[in-house]
């Protein structure tokens, strides 16, 4: 059963955001951002430029070790705005270190939930996931013992890792050609742009001189400046011969593998939280944190999905499966209003306000509307009904990492929640509190909206946990021990 949603009106206090610098993007759009959000975006972009400049300086004396060279390449590409259609958005725009490599703009997290793409009036249907610890996800597979799909990256597991053997690498291939993210019309455009960057020589040293030995058409600049999606009759608008197309595809894979290499490095995936320090005997939990950990592993049943490790198992605080916990729809998502052609004639969300996120089930049956980095294994289509509306269980590592105490983080796939306390309260009382009425002031405290979808909803470990307010707070206190940075990185 699906529930209708009402879109929240966007207030007149918001100011219009314009498209990128291409000549077709000068007109205004109905998608708007507040002045505070725009100011924060400028600050994030300046920080991206600073980090990129520091990484470029390292090219003067690159590491001698090939693994570290790949990590450096991956970092350079993650912070490279030139790999977006309007040369204005790096991957890092949605994945910054100060927030645990997820969304770094507090005002967007508080309001829109999702982030604007290179075409600044286009927004995704989901909030940014953290890419820290993502390379440790297994290749997507079916586990007969669990009776479940396990692994992959993205909220809907669509970066399966089945082709490259690495879900994080296939995840990295999604955003560059996603029309609402980096927006390039063809993956070859990412390769072409990379060939013009300062890291080209290091890339060729690591992956081979053939990487950019491609006969580019004369109209590359023009083609690659036109935001995707490509025309219906030309899915690969960059006209390359078969050998050059194959070479560009391999180089694009190697770019993605470099990014995954950086994400797997100790700079992004460090295991340096207080929890890790406690495991190492270098710290102790407070009384409240210890109580929260006990509840996490016991009464609250969190550990059933957000696993803290076991024999031969790292404490990654996810089991890499998917679940529908009954999260309400987030009416603040601009995606619901993207049902009309934008200035370039693109309609991101034909379903408009009736859109329901089908999660893993939709990926298995229809692919993903915005990006499809991995092919669907047709043998899994029969699993789609049992996976409808299910969303991958995220890691809880760095779940509370933020640059300052008042910074707002968004949680769950659609950013509906904006505090850990609210999430724990939802898990505890989803099936206890009444349904909210329209504009109910008690929403999130004394009532809950209906789930976005009740398909395959988890009713065994969510909804009626019997936790006291103090027990909810203790669980939050424990989750705050999962923030990296307590121990030094070796």
């Amino acid at each position: 059963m699906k529930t209708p949603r009402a879109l929240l009106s966007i207030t007149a206090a918001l100011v219009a955001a314009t498209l990128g610098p291409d000549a077709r993007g000068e007109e205004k759009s109905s998608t708007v951002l507040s002045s505070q959000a725009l100011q924060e975006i400028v600050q994030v972009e300046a920080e991206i430029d600073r980090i990129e400049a520091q990484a470029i300086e390292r090219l003067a004396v690159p590491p001698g070790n090939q693994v570290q060279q790949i990590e450096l390449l991956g970092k350079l590409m993650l912070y490279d705005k030139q790999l977006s259609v309007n040369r204005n958005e790096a991957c890092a725009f949605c994945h910054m270190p100060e927030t645990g490599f997820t969304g770094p703009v507090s005002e967007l997290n508080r309001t829109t939930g999702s982030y604007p793409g290179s075409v600044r009036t286009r927004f995704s249907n989901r909030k940014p996931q953290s890419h820290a610890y993502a390379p440790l996800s297994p290749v997507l597979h079916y586990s007969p013992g669990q009776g479940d799909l396990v692994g992959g990256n993205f909220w809907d597991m669509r970066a399966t890792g089945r082709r490259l053997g690495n879900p994080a690498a296939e995840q990295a291939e999604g955003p560059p050609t996603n029309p609402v993210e980096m927006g390039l019309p063809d993956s070859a455009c990412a390769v072409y742009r990379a060939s013009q960057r300062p890291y080209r020589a290091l890339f060729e040293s690591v992956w081979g001189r053939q990487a950019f030995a491609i006969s580019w058409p004369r109209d590359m600049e023009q083609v690659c400046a036109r935001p995707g999606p490509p025309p219906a009759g030309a899915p690969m608008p960059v006209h390359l011969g078969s050998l050059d197309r194959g070479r560009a595809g391999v180089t694009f894979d190697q770019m993605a593998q470099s990014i995954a290499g950086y994400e797997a490095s100790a700079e992004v995936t460090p295991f340096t939280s207080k929890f890790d320090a406690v495991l190492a005997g270098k710290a102790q939990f407070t009384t409240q944190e210890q109580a929260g950990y006990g509840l996490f592993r016991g009464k609250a049943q969190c550990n059933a999905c957000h696993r803290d490790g076991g024999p031969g198992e790292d404490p990654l605080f996810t089991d890499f499966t998917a679940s529908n916990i009954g999260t309400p729809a987030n009416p603040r998502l601009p995606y619901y209003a993207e049902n009309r052609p934008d200035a370039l004639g693109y309609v991101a969300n034909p379903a408009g306000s009736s859109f329901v996120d089908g999660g893993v089930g939709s990926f298995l049956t229809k692919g993903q509307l915005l990006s499809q980095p991995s092919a669907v294994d047709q043998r899994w289509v029969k699993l789609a009904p049992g996976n409808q509306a299910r969303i991958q269980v995220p890691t809880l590592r760095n779940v509370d990492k933020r640059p300052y105490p008042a910074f707002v983080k968004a949680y769950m796939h659609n950013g509906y929640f904006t505090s850990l306390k609210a999430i724990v309260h939802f898990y505890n009382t989803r099936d206890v509190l009444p349904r909210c009425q329209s504009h109910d002031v008690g929403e999130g405290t004394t009532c809950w909206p209906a789930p976005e979808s009740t398909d395959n909803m988890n009713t065994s470990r969510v909804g009626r946990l019997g936790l006291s307010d103090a027990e909810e707070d203790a669980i939050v206190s424990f989750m705050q021990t999962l923030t990296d940075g307590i121990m030094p990185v070796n």
Side-chain angles (χ1 to χ4, degrees):
M1 182 184 75
K2 296 166 178 76
T3 59
R5 74 205 79 250
L7 289 175
L8 295 182
S9 61
I10 302 176
T11 67
L14 301 181
V15 297
T18 59
L19 293 172
D22 71 309
R24 298 168 298 281
E26 296 302 324
E27 57 190 277
K28 301 291 183 181
S29 166
S30 60
T31 303
V32 290
L33 293 174
S34 69
S35 57
Q36 181 177 341
L38 293 173
Q39 182 179 0
E40 285 189 64
I41 288 172
V42 169
Q43 293 170 345
V44 169
E45 289 176 338
E47 179 66 4
I48 289 172
D49 290 343
R50 184 191 69 80
I51 294 173
E52 183 193 32
Q54 287 184 337
I56 289 174
E57 287 178 2
R58 293 175 58 194
L59 289 172
V61 185
N65 180 279
Q66 189 182 59
V67 172
Q68 294 173 6
Q69 291 171 356
I70 290 173
E71 291 174 1
L72 177 56
L73 280 172
K75 182 174 185 176
L76 285 161
M77 286 182 277
L78 271 173
Y79 287 89
D80 189 353
K81 295 178 181 178
Q82 300 297 314
L83 300 183
S84 64
V85 64
N86 287 321
R87 303 179 187 270
N88 62 341
E89 180 165 285
C91 296
F93 178 67
C94 295
H95 306 278
M96 288 293 279
E98 62 267 25
T99 54
F101 296 94
T102 183
V105 180
S106 178
E107 185 66 6
L108 292 183
N109 298 338
R110 188 185 71 82
T111 55
T112 61
S114 62
Y115 278 52
S118 181
V119 178
R120 292 302 198 200
T121 52
R122 297 179 181 177
F123 287 72
S124 176
N125 61 326
R126 296 174 181 149
K127 72 163 286 287
Q129 262 183 311
S130 169
H131 65 219
Y133 300 93
L136 302 182
S137 175
V139 171
L140 186 63
H141 62 282
Y142 180 76
S143 170
Q146 294 180 257
D148 217 344
L149 288 169
V150 181
N153 274 187
F154 280 125
W155 291 112
D156 57 10
M157 299 175 160
R158 72 184 185 275
T160 68
R162 295 284 293 280
R163 185 173 66 85
L164 296 179
N166 187 335
E170 291 184 25
Q171 184 279 330
E173 294 189 334
T177 56
N178 188 329
V180 302
E181 293 188 24
M182 299 174 79
L184 291 169
D186 191 318
S187 61
C189 292
V191 177
Y192 173 70
R193 296 274 182 91
S195 74
Q196 301 173 318
R197 304 298 292 142
Y199 48 80
R200 172 173 178 158
L202 179 59
F203 194 101
E204 290 174 328
S205 174
V206 171
W207 296 107
R209 293 290 299 276
Q210 80 292 334
F212 301 115
I214 297 170
S215 297
W216 300 111
R218 292 182 179 179
D219 62 352
M220 280 300 294
E221 291 289 348
Q222 179 181 356
V223 171
C224 294
R226 173 76 187 186
M236 295 181 178
V238 175
H239 297 146
L240 296 172
S242 59
L243 289 178
D244 282 333
R245 174 57 66 176
R247 190 168 291 161
V250 170
T251 303
F252 189 57
D253 288 345
Q254 292 163 342
M255 292 170 64
Q257 289 166 325
S258 299
I259 290 171
Y262 171 63
E263 291 174 347
S265 73
E267 190 172 320
V268 182
T269 302
F271 292 95
T272 58
S273 69
K274 182 175 183 179
F275 176 84
D276 298 299
V278 171
L279 288 185
K282 299 178 179 179
Q284 289 185 327
F285 287 133
T286 66
T287 301
Q288 186 182 46
E289 291 165 354
Q290 186 65 58
Y293 188 31
L295 291 163
F296 185 93
R297 303 189 88 246
K299 184 178 179 180
Q301 304 181 71
C302 310
N303 197 56
C305 298
H306 297 282
R307 288 185 54 80
D308 64 347
E313 183 181 329
D314 279 325
L316 296 173
F317 290 91
T318 175
D319 64 356
F320 301 106
T321 64
S323 182
N324 175 16
I325 65 165
T327 302
N330 182 2
R332 301 186 302 275
L333 289 174
Y335 187 72
Y336 290 123
E338 293 181 65
N339 62 332
R340 297 177 297 276
D342 65 10
L344 300 172
Y346 173 60
V347 180
N349 175 25
S353 61
S354 64
F355 169 77
V356 173
D357 196 328
V360 178
S362 288
F363 159 61
L364 294 176
T365 52
K366 299 181 292 188
Q368 217 275 351
L369 182 64
L370 300 174
S371 77
Q372 301 182 48
S374 307
V376 176
D377 188 330
Q378 290 301 309
R379 292 167 293 187
W380 292 347
V381 172
K382 62 186 178 183
L383 303 175
N387 280 281
Q388 192 64 26
R390 297 181 79 208
I391 300 293
Q392 188 177 55
V393 177
T395 178
L396 295 183
R397 282 186 171 273
N398 292 311
V399 70
D400 193 55
K401 187 174 178 63
R402 62 188 74 224
Y404 51 88
F407 183 93
V408 176
K409 294 190 76 170
Y411 298 103
M412 299 306 173
H413 66 285
N414 60 8
Y416 173 81
F417 299 99
T418 54
S419 77
L420 289 180
K421 173 67 173 181
I423 293 172
V424 176
H425 189 56
F426 177 78
Y427 270 77
N428 185 27
T429 63
R430 183 196 67 192
D431 300 337
V432 176
L433 298 178
R435 290 280 178 258
C436 293
Q437 303 301 311
S438 178
H439 306 295
D440 201 315
V441 295
E443 180 174 341
T445 305
T446 59
C447 68
W448 292 110
E452 179 178 12
S453 172
T454 57
D455 290 344
N456 303 301
M457 195 165 74
N458 188 330
T459 57
S460 61
R461 297 190 175 98
V462 182
R464 195 181 297 269
L465 301 180
L467 300 170
S468 68
D469 185 64
E471 288 175 327
E472 289 183 358
D473 289 341
I475 293 171
V476 170
S477 183
F478 166 69
M479 288 194 288
Q480 290 170 336
T481 71
L482 303 179
T483 296
D484 283 321
I486 299 300
M487 295 193 297
V489 176
N490 186 346

